[in-house]
Amino acid sequence: VLFAVVVTAGCAALGVLAARLACAAGHRCQQVPLSADEMFRFEKQVCENLTPIATGGKPCTLLLRANETVTINTVSGSGRLVLSCTDTTSGDTIVENAVIFDSNAFFFVKPGEEIELNHQIRGDPNLMYAVTVQHGDGLKVNMTHSFFFNQSERIYQPRGDDELQLNDQSETATGR
């Protein structure tokens, strides 16, 4: 699993904490000093190898808070990638099996070649998303899980203009 700490227009609120969490798996992490009006974004790269439900595959289930997004960056393999969404408060299905990607539409692509999607799913604490594969042999799905923090969530303000590098192990952080 690859972790990245990325700076965007916003705050360094959870800078050191997020960098420490990202470094729990021994990855090189960077935190850049920010001004008070900047937003802080923490990203986690996720790769899922999904197989069709009909052959025993499991869904990739997403429960996202309001400050989170998941972007489906690329897909490779054969099959149909679908998204279902359920309201967690009522149990009602919002959408079922909405097609995000169908490898049959990309018949001209070489086997194993990645197709860029950049499909973004925005967080809503009342919704549960399930990404599954229908048909085919299975799909490799590369996603970015992003967490956004603003000024009011700041717990640490970096000092100086030097880049902060944390490569220590944290007992409180786990990564997947």
Side-chain angles (χ1 to χ4, degrees):
V1 177
L2 173 66
F3 294 93
V5 176
V6 180
V7 175
T8 61
C11 132
L14 299 174
V16 169
L17 176 61
R20 286 185 189 275
L21 291 171
C23 293
H27 298 290
R28 182 173 184 266
C29 302
Q30 299 177 350
Q31 150 102 45
V32 178
L34 306 171
S35 66
D37 62 340
E38 291 182 306
M39 173 72 74
F40 181 80
R41 180 174 77 200
F42 172 78
E43 289 185 339
K44 176 181 176 180
Q45 300 297 320
V46 181
C47 179
E48 294 284 338
N49 290 304
L50 301 173
T51 55
I53 296 292
T55 62
K58 306 274 189 242
C60 174
T61 304
L62 305 169
L63 295 168
L64 304 172
R65 291 170 285 212
N67 68 321
E68 298 176 56
T69 63
V70 167
T71 304
I72 300 174
N73 300 313
T74 62
V75 176
S76 62
S78 75
R80 181 180 297 148
L81 189 66
V82 297
L83 174 73
S84 296
C85 179
T86 304
D87 185 321
T88 59
T89 57
S90 67
D92 294 337
T93 299
I94 307 298
V95 66
E96 188 170 14
N97 297 326
V99 177
I100 297 174
F101 171 81
D102 191 338
S103 63
N104 288 334
F106 292 88
F107 61 90
F108 52 88
V109 175
K110 296 174 186 162
E113 186 176 340
E114 291 184 340
I115 305 298
E116 191 170 321
L117 292 184
N118 292 320
H119 180 81
Q120 189 175 79
I121 302 169
R122 292 193 176 140
D124 183 327
N126 297 319
L127 299 178
M128 179 178 70
Y129 303 95
V131 180
T132 59
V133 173
Q134 297 175 340
H135 315 296
D137 296 326
L139 296 170
K140 177 181 173 187
V141 182
N142 292 303
M143 299 177 277
T144 303
H145 189 172
S146 301
F147 307 81
F148 298 89
F149 302 98
N150 62 35
Q151 169 109 12
S152 66
E153 297 167 307
R154 176 176 290 152
I155 61 171
Y156 174 78
Q157 175 65 45
R159 293 185 229 182
D161 295 329
D162 296 332
E163 179 182 283
L164 175 63
Q165 255 185 353
L166 300 173
N167 288 314
D168 61 322
Q169 298 293 318
S170 174
E171 294 178 8
T172 60
T174 59
R176 177 193 167 205

